[in-house]
Amino acid sequence: MNIKTQRTLLGDVAREAGVSTASVSRVLNRAPHVSEQLRTRVEAAIERLGYVPDGTARALASRRIGAIGALVPTLDNPIFGTMSDSLEQRLKRHDCRLLIATFRYDLDDEFQALRALVQQGIDGVVLIGHDHRPAVRTLIEQRGLPFLSCWHSEQDPDWPCIGFDNAIPARRLAEHLLSLGHRQLAIVSAPTIGNDRARARLEGFLQATEAAGCPVEPERIITVDYGIAEGAQAFDRLMALSPPPTAILCGNDTLAFGVMLAAQRAGISIPEQLSITGFDDLPQARFMSPPLTTVAVPASEIGSQVADALIAHIGGAPPPRCLLLEAPLMLRESTGPASTTDS
């Protein structure tokens, strides 16, 4: 829609409402000191005519397109869906829409996705994690694009973030199992290359077991892609070891679901014969049989706080350097004391 056409349609709204085109523009641009009576008349005319303001014209007037881009590893994981929904709902309060691009943990594809979002026109961007190609930062700087990263706790002045510490809760999960007498531990992790969150969780697990004097042997650390089937396959590999583990730490809830389902299929009782932990606290976790011990990732709070902080940053406020939220342990019935032979 060109500017001439836009002005024509704006005039239609003005005539329908019985006001000037300047008054219509003030209502559309949410200008201050607009009377409620004027706003009601213009909005009623807009609704009757089915008028949709042109984003290009709006951008020329305000120097903002009214859109935020978010680069998300995957929407297969419901935890990212929760964050994205919270982010979008909060952005609506700021009269912004959300554009989402996924990259399946491929950092080269993430950069290409960022380029596509920039070409579509965005006012700011949200990044997940601290691992990115250098070209991502270069493009952001070249475009003068406000941004925030989230989901991590790296103290990096070049990467302002709102997130949580992935390593500390992971360490606490392992310490919980150790306190229950478990010494034959195993780990099912998501791939750590290009994924600082998975890497931090694995490091947390290993820190706790090494500090307790029972480090996890390499063959007891299984790295698989994200998925329930992958978790089940990891379980089969681990239980073939001698001796088999009495507790399995999983890098996310979905892998833990796969491990739990495979254990039940094999006739192994949870937690009497095998304790299992996850990480995320997906809605399904508390309804598993037994309910899953896990870490509650503050996904919804991250979404809302990132939205507020990024919009404020676009408006000229400095971004938060590193705002960390709590990610508490949720101790449930999938973990229990080790057998006397293990402890």
Side-chain angles (χ1 to χ4, degrees), residues 6 14 94 183 185 191 201 206 270 323:
Q6 172 72 10
H94 298 286
R183 294 299 178 267
L185 275 71
R201 294 174 191 183
L206 297 178
I270 305 169
L323 174 61

Side-chain angles (χ1 to χ4, degrees), residues 88-134:
E88 181 175 34
Q89 296 308 311
R90 197 72 166 198
L91 286 173
K92 286 180 179 178
R93 299 186 185 183
H94 298 286
D95 195 27
C96 275
R97 67 183 188 274
L98 178 65
L99 304 179
I100 298 177
T102 61
F103 56 93
R104 303 296 299 182
Y105 297 96
D106 182 334
L107 296 187
D108 292 326
D109 189 48
E110 181 193 36
F111 172 63
Q112 295 303 326
L114 174 60
R115 291 187 61 188
L117 287 174
V118 169
Q119 289 169 1
Q120 291 183 55
I122 52 176
D123 300 314
V125 65
V126 179
L127 303 170
I128 301 290
H130 189 258
D131 284 1
H132 308 281
R133 292 285 185 253

